[in-house]
Amino acid sequence: MSDFKFQVNQKVVYPSQGVGTIVEIQEQEFDDKKMMYYVIYIEVSDMTVMIPVNISDELGVRAIVSADKAQKALDSMGEAIEPVTSDWKQRYQMNLELLKNGTIEDIASIVRCLYHRSKIKDLPIQERKLYDSAKKLLEDEIAYALDKSPKEVEALIHAKLEPLGLMIQAKNNVHNDDDFDDDEEDVFIEQDQAEPMDDDDDDMDDD
């Protein structure tokens, strides 16, 4: 088994699903061909998945990040974000692509973006679900990497996000008091501030 990139009992990240443990590496026959599979148990959803070894990289399966990298992702929660579109469907697609990429930096970016956006206006249901999923993925990976509980990490993330989030919320309230047009919101989301889609939600536009 030493020839495999991942080993039994190793913690890995499966994008969009979360942190899992490789419980077995087994051979299975598929389409008259024998293939090797990683059998991964994902605790957060109590689910076991089988990933073909030869396409695991393509599917984004990766090792848990180092403690240093996890700490950098945590610290990034306190950073300002670039202005983003006020069209929630465009935002959703952009963030969904980041989630599929599955790097801890991309997941942290989704959490930061949607948390600060929620301080301007409530997120549509699909975007809220995306935010919750990304936040859970981030909490779990950082928890494993830093040897902390998910609850501890959740509190740390909130502590990083909240100061800038409150600033954005306060500034947005001022603009609203001045009959600020929601379509103009990107004007004041500058460098010193901080911000899944189906047809059923077409009527949930930000406008």
Side-chain angles (χ1 to χ4, degrees), residues 79-198:
E79 297 174 0
I81 65 167
E82 294 296 323
V84 295
T85 176
S86 60
D87 184 331
W88 82 267
K89 292 180 181 180
Q90 289 184 22
R91 274 200 318 270
Y92 177 80
Q93 290 296 345
M94 290 165 53
N95 284 322
L96 189 60
E97 286 303 312
L98 291 178
L99 189 67
K100 289 177 181 177
N101 288 341
T103 69
I104 195 169
E105 294 87 359
D106 286 339
I107 296 170
S109 177
I110 296 169
V111 173
R112 191 168 64 247
C113 169
L114 295 185
Y115 176 84
H116 292 308
R117 174 64 198 181
S118 72
K119 292 298 184 179
I120 296 172
K121 192 168 186 177
D122 288 343
L123 299 176
I125 293 173
Q126 292 290 68
E127 219 174 14
R128 168 58 63 175
K129 289 179 179 177
L130 181 61
Y131 169 75
D132 290 340
S133 295
K135 183 168 172 283
K136 181 60 179 171
L137 291 172
L138 186 65
E139 289 168 359
D140 285 351
E141 182 165 11
I142 292 177
Y144 280 112
L146 299 183
D147 194 22
K148 296 180 181 293
S149 73
K151 282 294 183 184
E152 285 180 281
V153 174
E154 181 181 19
L156 290 171
I157 289 174
H158 182 76
K160 295 281 188 180
L161 288 169
E162 187 68 359
L164 198 51
L166 290 175
M167 185 188 305
I168 291 173
Q169 187 174 44
K171 195 153 194 174
N172 185 60
N173 288 340
V174 170
H175 280 282
N176 285 340
D177 289 342
D178 294 335
D179 295 324
F180 174 71
D181 187 346
D182 198 44
D183 289 335
E184 304 283 338
E185 64 202 7
D186 287 340
V187 171
F188 70 89
I189 307 176
E190 301 169 350
Q191 62 180 5
D192 61 337
Q193 307 170 44
E195 148 154 42
M197 179 177 66
D198 53 37

